[in-house]
Every structure is written in structure tokens, then in C-alpha cells.
Amino acid sequence: HSIDNENSIDVNYAMGYSIIEINEEEGKINFYNRRYVEKRNEYVNNVDLLGDEGKKVYNLLTNEEKQYNENIKNIVGKISENYVSELDKHLLSYKTDSNAPKTINDIFVHPKIIEKNNYDIDERYDLNKTKEEKVYFLEDIIKEESNILIVGDKEVGKTILLDKIAIELVDNFDIYRNIPIKIDFKNCGKIDKDIAKYLGIKYSDLESFIDNNKIILIIDNLDFSDEWKKQVVDLEKVVDKYKNIKIICSCRTNIEKELPVEVISNNVFNKFLHLYLNSWDSNQIEELIDIWFINSEDKGLRVQDITNIFNNIKMPLTPLNVSMFLWVIEHQTNYKLINTSELMDVFLTHLLEKLDLSSLYHDSFDYANKITLLADISHKMFETGKYSMTYDDLYKYISSYFKRKKLKV
């Protein structure tokens, strides 16, 4: 029985359709029903079934739950503003005179991340045994339920990868529903107190907050050497205590570019999913060249030429080395690569020459003096065991250095 009169009150049978709209942000389900009117040859709101608007609204959340969700979004917003926005400073191109993009989102090149199957010692030397490698992407890492340890060689891109994961979680919080917290292992104090500070909540409220929310704790520069044993134990306690926290951390490989023995012998971290971050290949290099020179000529660069140059001098194809090379090529077309030290020297020379230090330095404060100052700052960091300085501390130290050298400030 079809309804051919839009004013009919017989709603037992009708040709039509329904739409169910789930609005998680507002915590509502909107239910619509439209029925077909044969005389008008169109579908109209089914007012007989659902009232004047042909719509019924069901609340998924109470007012208290809505307020709680709003508070969480505010926390994520503050994390984005106070912490995540600072991550772009890790880029080599940041605040330089390069035409390359200055944000991680714009310049990020996805590295090859693999999971190696763990083999017994006898299997490791079995030439007939084929090692399968599973490739992981950002989304795989974020959605993986296990805690993750990302292992890679020096300057292979671990920090930028973790930065990108944090940015992805903030930018797509409505999708992943995980609150990201990114800290540097070598700059942290008591980890759970640092978490509370990062979230902007009282330490006494931390346990309850974690119980009611999903958190991804991203830790860069994990170090298992004796110097950092106390911090490692502290992190182990966090893993054991807070089950609602997922850990994504990074550490350096051993000399054989394999999992450090300290990880294998650790009863907590040997249970993590171990992912390996590979050096770049021609695909990543080509992608970075396209991004780097998107608004200018690519200087005639060919990927094969770059890989040949790096291979000939046995320089690893890390993101940092390739970025420095592209940066130098951008400013110096006839540059010939010799080794890593020479590449770094040319890069620093040009960078320091571009700095406007007239407000601080004497006219005779040349490149050699600048290198001496940087070396002095590096030695100070080495002595204190702290490899970063606040702007105020750096300014005070440089002022003190100038006074010691009897230079004008």
C-alpha cells in the first residue's frame, strides 16, 4: 500500500528512506525520514512519523559528558599551541634563508620503517631462512595497540618522525582520540610529573585523568647507558602503572645497527614492538628534491648523482646529510662534496655569514671567532651534561664570553 496523499495519516506503509546522522562532536544522533508522494513525484519530510521537521534527535552524551569532551579539546588545543607548534624548529630549513618549506607537515618525507622478525640465535645464521619484513606507515604506528620502540642510526630521522606523529595526533584528534605528549628523554625530570605539566593539570589529578583518557606518550632519545639508568627505571614504572598510556619511543642502534643489547635484556622494553628506521633510498631523496625546489629550479639535480656522491665518500644517506647537501646546492651551484665534516663546515659558514649580528658583535668578529664561540658553548654543554640552553641562559653566557675575551657587546 503506497501513500499518494501527502496529508494521509495512514503511516503503516510508505515508500521512502531514512538517514541516520551521528554527530560525535555534539554527542547527538539525528534521525530523518522522508516518504514519497506520488502526486507530487517527490520525497517530503515524514511529518506523520517524526513531527513537523521530519527529524528526531537522540542525545548520546549528558551535559556533563559534553563539558568533559570540551575540556579535553581545550587541553589538546593548548598542547598544539604550547608544544607542537615548536616542533618545526627541529627542521634544518627553519628560520634559514632557504626556499624549502619551514614546517614538518610541508617537508616531511615518509621513511622506510620495518619490523624485523625476531629469530633465535641458531636461526639467525641459517642461510635458508628468509627474514620477512613488514613495512609500517604513520597510521599503522598510531593505531598499533602495543608499545613501540623505534630504533635507528644517528641522524636517520627519528626525531622528525616522532614530531610528525605528535602533529598527526593533534591535527586529527577527532579521528584518533589519543592525546599526544612528546618529551625528550634527556631533558625530562620525573616523567609522570612532566606528563601532568604537559597536560596542564594538577599532579594529584593525573591518575584519574589517565584512567579516563587515551594518551600516547612519545619519548625521543631514549638512552640505556649507565648515566640514564634512573630515568629508565622511572619510565618502566610509568609503563607498569598507567595501562591507558601507550608509549612510542626512539633510541639509537648498536654498532651493528641492530637492537641494543640493553633492550634485549630489559624485561619491559624487550616486550615492545621493535621497528627499525632505515636510511633513505632514491625514492625519499627524489621526494625531498621535489619538495625542496618546488618554487624554483632544481639546479639540474639527479637522484643517481647524489647517491653516487654519497656512496663514493661513504657518507650515510640520512635526512640531515641530504638536507644539508640540498641547502648548500641551493646557495652554491658549483659545490663539490668531500665529506661530512666539510659539508657541515660549508653549511655553517654560509649560515653564520647570513646572520645579522651587528647589534651584538664587534666588526672584527669574523667566521673563525664565531666557530670558536660555538665550540665554547658546546664545551659548556658537555661539562654540564645538558645539550640545550634557554634563550636567556644563552644570552647571559655569550655576554659573559664577550667580557672574558674583552670584546664589545
Side-chain angles (χ1 to χ4, degrees), residues 33 70-71 107 172 177 180 263 330 346 371:
N33 185 269
E70 189 64 29
N71 291 340
I107 204 171
N172 298 288
R177 309 299 294 181
V263 175
E330 183 184 355
V346 172
I371 291 296

Side-chain angles (χ1 to χ4, degrees), residues 103-270:
T103 68
I104 292 173
N105 272 339
D106 290 336
I107 204 171
F108 181 74
V109 174
H110 204 297
K112 186 176 181 181
I113 308 165
I114 61 172
E115 176 193 5
K116 293 183 182 178
N117 281 347
N118 292 321
Y119 285 82
D120 293 335
I121 192 69
D122 294 334
E123 294 178 314
R124 185 173 298 177
Y125 298 102
D126 184 355
L127 298 180
N128 296 318
K129 189 76 174 180
T130 303
K131 291 188 177 183
E132 297 180 1
E133 295 181 346
K134 179 181 178 181
V135 178
Y136 274 72
F137 296 93
L138 278 181
E139 187 175 1
D140 301 323
I141 294 174
I142 291 173
K143 290 185 174 181
E144 172 63 45
E145 294 183 0
S146 304
N147 292 322
I148 296 174
L149 175 61
I150 298 173
V151 185
D153 205 0
K154 182 180 180 182
E155 309 298 353
V156 80
K158 298 184 294 295
T159 294
I160 297 300
L161 174 62
L162 295 185
D163 289 345
K164 178 61 176 174
I165 291 172
I167 293 170
E168 190 74 10
L169 286 168
V170 165
D171 289 350
N172 298 288
F173 177 74
D174 287 339
I175 297 175
Y176 296 115
R177 309 299 294 181
N178 279 279
I179 302 173
I181 298 173
K182 184 177 186 293
I183 61 177
D184 190 320
F185 182 74
K186 295 182 178 178
N187 287 331
C188 66
K190 199 168 185 303
I191 294 177
D192 52 0
K193 288 187 176 180
D194 285 346
I195 293 174
K197 180 181 178 182
Y198 200 98
L199 293 169
I201 64 175
K202 295 178 181 178
Y203 178 66
S204 57
D205 296 333
L206 180 62
E207 191 166 353
S208 173
F209 184 92
I210 293 174
D211 287 341
N212 290 286
N213 295 280
K214 290 184 177 180
I215 292 174
I216 295 184
L217 178 59
I218 304 168
I219 302 180
D220 198 12
N221 294 319
L222 187 58
D223 194 326
F224 292 91
S225 62
D226 290 343
E227 181 183 355
W228 302 98
K229 273 187 176 180
K230 183 178 178 181
Q231 285 86 343
V232 170
V233 171
D234 189 28
L235 181 54
E236 290 172 354
K237 292 177 180 177
V238 169
V239 174
D240 182 62
K241 181 177 180 179
Y242 301 109
K243 302 303 182 184
N244 238 18
I245 292 182
K246 170 186 166 181
I247 311 288
I248 302 177
C249 52
S250 71
C251 76
R252 296 231 339 234
T253 55
N254 60 15
I255 297 175
E256 293 79 23
K257 300 186 184 298
E258 294 289 346
L259 199 64
V261 65
E262 295 90 350
V263 175
I264 298 172
S265 60
N266 187 291
N267 291 329
V268 174
F269 294 98
N270 63 9

Side-chain angles (χ1 to χ4, degrees), residues 92 96-97 320 323-325 327-328 331-332 335 340-355 357 366-375 378:
L92 181 141
T96 68
D97 60 338
L320 178 63
S323 295
M324 278 198 295
F325 181 74
W327 193 96
V328 171
H331 297 82
Q332 192 174 331
Y335 173 73
T340 304
S341 298
E342 196 265 355
L343 174 63
M344 178 69 79
D345 189 58
V346 172
F347 173 74
L348 286 174
T349 300
H350 187 89
L351 188 62
L352 290 171
E353 285 174 353
K354 288 293 181 180
L355 294 177
L357 304 176
D366 58 10
Y367 169 69
N369 287 326
K370 296 170 188 174
I371 291 296
T372 302
L373 171 59
L374 288 177
S378 299

Side-chain angles (χ1 to χ4, degrees), residues 40-85:
R40 293 172 52 177
N41 192 29
E42 65 177 352
Y43 288 91
V44 299
N45 290 333
N46 193 341
V47 297
D48 296 325
L49 183 64
L50 298 176
D52 293 342
E53 296 182 3
K55 168 185 174 183
K56 190 169 181 63
V57 178
Y58 299 90
N59 289 320
L60 289 173
L61 303 173
T62 64
N63 290 334
E64 291 78 8
E65 290 170 329
K66 290 179 185 178
Q67 183 61 50
Y68 187 83
N69 281 352
E70 189 64 29
N71 291 340
I72 296 300
K73 288 205 168 188
N74 288 337
I75 288 175
V76 173
K78 288 179 180 178
I79 289 175
S80 175
E81 181 181 347
N82 297 333
Y83 298 101
V84 174
S85 62

